[in-house]
Amino acid sequence: MGLFDGKKGLILGVANDRSIAWAIAQKIMEEGGICGFSHLPDRPDDDKQKNRRRVTKCTEKHPESVKFVEPLDVQNDEQIAAFAELTAKEFGKIDFLLHSIAFADMRDLGVDTIETSRGGFKLAMDISVFSLIAVCNAMKGVMNENAAVAAMTYFGGEKCVPGYNVMGICKAALDAAVRYLAYDLGPQQVRVNAVSAGPLKTLAGSAAGVGDMLKLYQHMAPLNRNITHEEVGNAGAYLLSDMSNGITGEILHVDGGYNAMGSPGRLLDAINAAKKQT
Ligand code: NDP
């Protein structure tokens, strides 16, 4: 008997097999869940449908667990409404909704926060934060009682993580959105939570500079290592399952304990040891 037997829902934000959304989807499908996936729309002149292909390359290996793979740009209200209609047609009601989407222009990610452009700020907030609100609003009519929503966030929204910059501000807003949406959807017994993942090598992660963070976490996190895609997959699936009933408005850290540290911990030992050697 699987944790997701008889459950159906949406996975938004698979770009390839390194995507966090794919790690979570894999766990859900392994546990019996049926998923509908989104991909960024392809340009009409792109005969090869590159965006769609990137997602179907993952999903085609699981035909029994995949209901559909359809385009959705979360910046577009009409597309969100059409995706909700499609969801109602294909599924009736859904039990889970994963939002694993973020974007900021490299020009804004590459400068100090103080130099963020107005346009870049609006774009990053629109795609990375408002989209969660818009999607929840569009889908509230198709969510079963006890359905669960999960978003993906990062510690850079709680504390200043130099380099994460405008995306840190987006994540702070996303964390707040999770709490307010949890309140709004609570009366219909729909839960809204987020997983705060440690750094992972993905397309978005590389753009946000996870390379150095991986080294830092390895030394500073209580577990003395980085987390894995599978661990985030398990935690995401947990928050989207009935196992987490009773939990809403929560930010669950899957970061080897990094967020619990109040000092660099063993990183200092490593620095002191290196000093002694020189
Ligand atoms: P991915 O690049 O694999 O996933 C990001 C997804 O967002 C892609 O599928 C991308 O589509 C999609 N996306 C971007 N813009 C839009 C849009 N306008 N409409 C619809 N979809 C869009 O990276 P991750 O798996 O790392 O990122 C998933 C989430 O996890 C993000 O919220 C990220 O901030 C968060 N996170 C990541 C961490 C990490 O270290 N990797 C750590 C903590 C949180 P496309 O590729 O086609 O543009």
Side-chain angles (χ1 to χ4, degrees), residues 10-273:
L10 301 175
I11 305 288
L12 313 182
V14 173
N16 57 31
D17 62 1
R18 303 304 295 158
S19 294
I20 290 174
W22 183 242
I24 297 172
Q26 273 183 298
K27 183 67 187 171
I28 288 174
M29 294 188 296
E30 206 179 287
E31 292 288 331
I34 309 285
C35 301
F37 291 83
S38 68
H39 64 84
L40 259 190
D42 286 292
R43 286 201 325 267
D45 62 348
D46 181 3
D47 296 339
K48 295 206 169 113
Q49 297 199 300
K50 276 198 219 91
N51 290 341
R52 183 176 169 79
R53 276 297 301 150
R54 280 193 296 159
V55 182
T56 54
K57 249 169 116 175
C58 301
T59 56
E60 65 194 9
K61 291 170 199 143
H62 305 264
E64 70 295 342
S65 309
V66 178
K67 187 76 174 175
F68 58 80
V69 181
E70 291 294 332
L72 172 61
D73 178 348
V74 293
Q75 283 195 282
N76 184 314
D77 287 333
E78 281 166 21
Q79 287 187 27
I80 293 177
F83 205 81
E85 248 179 64
L86 172 89
T87 302
K89 188 170 138 253
E90 294 285 340
F91 279 142
K93 298 249 173 172
I94 58 170
D95 305 290
F96 58 87
L97 165 59
L98 174 68
H99 176 286
S100 187
I101 289 173
F103 181 81
D105 196 307
M106 281 310 286
R107 278 170 300 192
D108 293 291
L109 274 176
V111 295
D112 288 348
T113 312
I114 202 166
E115 289 174 30
T116 308
S117 67
R118 188 184 298 272
F121 183 85
K122 284 185 186 169
L123 178 72
M125 289 290 274
D126 187 25
I127 297 180
S128 313
V129 186
F130 178 72
S131 64
L132 177 67
I133 298 173
V135 166
C136 282
N137 195 28
M139 299 296 170
K140 65 180 190 283
V142 295
M143 290 204 249
N144 269 326
E145 196 168 291
N146 280 330
V149 178
M152 289 304 309
T153 189
Y154 178 62
F155 184 64
E158 297 171 53
K159 300 285 179 193
C160 173
V161 176
Y164 202 58
N165 304 359
V166 65
M167 193 47 72
I169 299 175
C170 290
K171 291 307 189 192
L174 185 76
D175 294 356
V178 162
R179 292 185 280 272
Y180 281 88
L181 291 168
Y183 179 77
D184 286 353
L185 292 173
Q188 73 179 78
Q189 299 305 306
V190 170
R191 302 177 295 107
V192 185
N193 294 294
V195 175
S196 180
L200 282 171
K201 277 190 190 155
T202 63
L203 284 181
S206 303
V210 296
D212 287 342
M213 297 313 286
L214 286 167
K215 286 183 220 146
L216 188 65
Y217 275 62
Q218 194 177 340
H219 289 293
M220 252 185 81
L223 289 184
N224 254 193
R225 64 168 176 83
N226 282 290
I227 54 143
T228 65
H229 277 73
E230 195 186 357
E231 286 165 343
V232 178
N234 289 343
Y238 162 72
L239 283 182
L240 290 170
S241 79
D242 287 345
M243 290 286 280
S244 58
N245 280 354
I247 299 175
T248 195
E250 194 68 69
I251 311 292
L252 177 63
H253 293 87
V254 182
D255 62 355
Y258 180 91
N259 77 95
M261 295 299 295
S263 89
R266 293 184 198 104
L267 179 60
L268 276 183
D269 301 341
I271 292 169
N272 288 336

